[in-house]
Amino acid sequence: GDLSADHDLYTKSGKLIDFLSSWDSEHLNLPQRVEQLWIDLYERSYIELDDVVAMQKWLEALITMGYKFPETKPRIRNVALMGQFNYADFPNSMKQIMIWSQKNRERFQTVVAAAPLNETQVEYLKTHRVDALQADEREFEKRGRFGFYNPMSNLMRTLQRFANSSTIEAVLYAHDDALLNVTDLSGGNYPFPTDKILANRRQSESNNAEYVDLRTIPDREKARRLSHRVFPNGTLSDVDKTVFAKTPKELKEQIPNFHSNWGLWREPFCAGGQQQMAMDPEFANYLEPDGSAWFPYHTQSDFLMVPTKYAFEFAEAATLHLKHKIFIECAFGKIVDILQQKFEAPIRHVKLCTDWGKLRGTWKAIDVCKSEPVAVLHPFKIGDRFDEFWMVADAINFPLEKLNKTLGSIPV
């Protein structure tokens, strides 16, 4: 008997671990999931029929007693979460990455932490079961601009990694200081729907123009004010070609409230880079029928989900934007537009609540998001506040009253 038991231990344990690691169920409540697991174990000869019957009687007894089973959080297996960390050289950086990864593995089976890591840090994180993507900070000339471009590069690399995966159907990128309402993002569906690109729309953005094709909207004044064209000779114009200019500054001066008077639009890493990219022969495949390159409204870019079936085309478009050093808030909108134009890729907008005032980066900023459900809260800096991060990251996935209660329990 002991010899037989030892034989099973040595021959079956590895396969059992593999099975449990990949096991999932369509059931969302705990009793049904437990019962399904026991049945699946029985069908694979890991347990006996009596074990299944005993477990069913145990569950029945708990239900008869009125026991309230805890809520389950089934892990999403068909979407990889990629977290962007701009820095990894602070004293608690490794702890922040591990805490972030551990918390998000409650919701996602595959979690990738992308950061400017050295080899020692990568190995250290591996020993703590963190899937780390090493981002090379030397790609970009200024440390302060690392977050301008690297999220695009890391998302591209992660999409390419899972492009041929039989299980991962999309990559969801989020900054490390973004809190995700997975219930809202998935629409309450399980498995996670991956037929659409998910893109954020700021609650505070009155134009409702982020990730929107403004070429043919009825409101032409809005279209002219929030998007533009660049021709291969470098000439810029509004979308309707009523105003022309040689430089971004000149175009901005001719159109009142252009791009909502956003100061970064005319910088070399936005409109300047777009102007250079439109003149690049490698961009020729993306030109409009009139020979121009159309560029959409800028967007906050702390979140984006892209199906892996678009990995190759995303990489082609992202590579051009990286070549001309166009930062993510001016790049993601155009990359998504390229996917929409080529594949008629559907897109779903989700609400992003953010703050750019004095409270930015504090837990108090989240207080403005309590009025209605949102998909993404940004930013909530982990810093040394690991307990607070844990509480709020968990509460956002439940009804508003729990989020309100959690925020109220955090001391000022």
Side-chain angles (χ1 to χ4, degrees):
D2 290 342
L3 182 62
S4 176
D6 287 344
H7 182 266
D8 281 351
L9 175 65
Y10 290 119
T11 60
K12 291 185 177 181
S13 58
K15 292 182 179 180
L16 175 59
I17 291 172
D18 291 339
F19 167 72
L20 293 174
S21 297
S22 60
W23 182 85
D24 201 1
S25 169
E26 294 182 356
H27 298 300
L28 298 182
N29 68 68
L30 188 57
Q32 289 179 312
R33 290 179 70 84
V34 172
E35 183 179 30
Q36 183 65 56
L37 175 59
W38 251 244
I39 292 172
D40 290 344
L41 289 170
Y42 165 69
E43 290 177 345
R44 288 160 179 79
S45 302
Y46 290 113
I47 61 175
E48 302 298 328
L49 181 59
D50 289 345
D51 297 315
V52 177
V53 174
M55 179 277 307
Q56 291 172 328
K57 290 181 177 180
W58 175 67
L59 288 175
E60 185 179 348
L62 290 175
I63 294 171
T64 302
M65 292 168 56
Y67 176 76
K68 292 185 178 180
F69 291 88
E71 295 184 59
T72 60
K73 294 186 287 187
R75 277 201 271 184
I76 295 164
R77 299 179 183 273
N78 63 329
V79 175
L81 174 64
M82 189 213 88
Q84 169 70 27
F85 291 78
N86 288 343
Y87 308 107
D89 54 359
F90 294 112
N92 64 351
S93 291
M94 294 299 96
K95 187 174 182 181
Q96 287 186 23
I97 292 174
M98 287 188 291
I99 290 288
W100 180 90
S101 298
Q102 182 180 355
K103 185 60 186 174
N104 282 292
R105 276 204 299 267
E106 293 180 7
R107 295 282 177 176
F108 293 87
Q109 175 73 13
T110 303
V111 175
V112 180
L117 303 163
N118 57 43
E119 295 294 340
T120 301
Q121 290 173 318
V122 171
E123 290 305 314
Y124 177 80
L125 290 172
K126 283 183 179 178
T127 63
H128 289 82
R129 298 181 62 246
V130 174
D131 188 344
L133 173 63
Q134 187 176 20
D136 189 358
E137 189 172 359
R138 293 171 299 177
E139 291 180 36
F140 310 104
E141 71 277 14
K142 292 184 179 180
R143 171 186 169 85
R145 293 183 180 176
F146 182 70
F148 275 31
Y149 315 102
N150 213 254
M152 180 165 38
S153 173
N154 291 334
L155 176 54
M156 174 183 73
R157 291 167 62 192
T158 308
L159 280 166
Q160 290 174 318
R161 170 182 167 183
F162 294 110
N164 297 316
S165 171
S166 59
T167 55
I168 301 299
E169 300 169 354
V171 175
L172 193 159
Y173 141 74
H175 241 277
D176 66 292
D177 56 2
L179 298 177
L180 305 177
N181 182 337
V182 179
T183 303
D184 191 89
L185 289 172
S186 66
N189 296 303
Y190 185 84
F192 197 112
T194 57
D195 58 321
K196 296 180 175 66
I197 296 170
L198 293 190
N200 58 244
R201 178 172 288 172
R202 286 170 288 177
Q203 271 187 322
S204 58
E205 175 53 59
S206 59
N207 289 306
N208 290 324
E210 295 175 303
Y211 295 104
V212 172
D213 185 354
L214 301 174
R215 294 174 180 87
T216 58
I217 64 169
D219 188 344
R220 300 316 300 159
E221 186 276 333
K222 176 179 177 179
R224 289 190 292 271
R225 181 168 48 84
L226 300 180
S227 66
H228 61 287
R229 297 181 184 275
V230 182
F231 292 85
N233 65 358
T235 300
L236 297 95
S237 78
D238 65 311
V239 64
D240 288 341
K241 295 174 283 190
T242 63
V243 176
F244 296 87
K246 295 182 179 180
T247 66
K249 180 181 178 181
E250 183 182 334
L251 183 65
K252 190 173 187 296
E253 290 174 347
Q254 294 186 69
I255 303 175
N257 200 28
F258 189 64
H259 271 264
S260 301
N261 287 326
W262 186 50
L264 297 182
W265 177 81
R266 67 181 188 182
E267 294 291 335
F269 49 77
C270 186
Q274 291 173 339
Q275 188 177 28
Q276 294 301 313
M277 187 170 67
M279 299 167 65
D280 188 336
E282 293 182 15
F283 193 76
N285 289 336
Y286 304 119
L287 296 177
E288 305 281 301
D290 65 357
S292 71
W294 177 81
F295 291 100
Y297 189 57
H298 64 275
T299 177
Q300 188 162 332
S301 300
D302 301 285
F303 164 88
L304 183 66
M305 190 188 87
V306 180
T308 53
K309 63 184 177 181
Y310 303 133
F312 177 77
E313 289 75 15
F314 184 97
E316 279 195 332
T319 298
L320 277 169
H321 283 78
L322 289 166
K323 175 183 177 180
H324 294 282
K325 291 186 170 62
I326 303 171
F327 90 128
I328 54 176
E329 301 206 359
C330 298
F332 274 171
K334 182 57 185 176
I335 294 173
V336 169
D337 176 70
I338 287 172
L339 297 179
Q340 289 182 290
Q341 296 303 310
K342 186 170 183 178
F343 301 104
E344 297 184 355
I347 185 169
R348 181 165 75 90
H349 294 92
V350 296
K351 290 183 181 178
L352 162 71
C353 187
T354 189
D355 184 272
W356 288 90
K358 295 180 179 179
L359 297 180
R360 178 175 172 81
T362 69
W363 70 264
K364 291 182 181 179
I366 299 175
D367 194 56
V368 304
C369 305
K370 296 193 301 182
S371 59
E372 58 179 305
V374 294
V376 186
L377 294 178
H378 173 272
F380 187 88
K381 305 293 184 182
I382 300 176
D384 292 316
R385 303 168 302 163
F386 300 111
D387 291 339
E388 294 177 17
F389 169 77
W390 211 268
M391 292 168 62
V392 179
D394 190 52
I396 186 179
N397 285 284
F398 290 92
L400 282 173
E401 53 266 25
K402 179 163 184 178
L403 178 59
N404 296 341
K405 183 177 179 181
T406 300
L407 291 175
S409 68
I410 299 176
V412 177

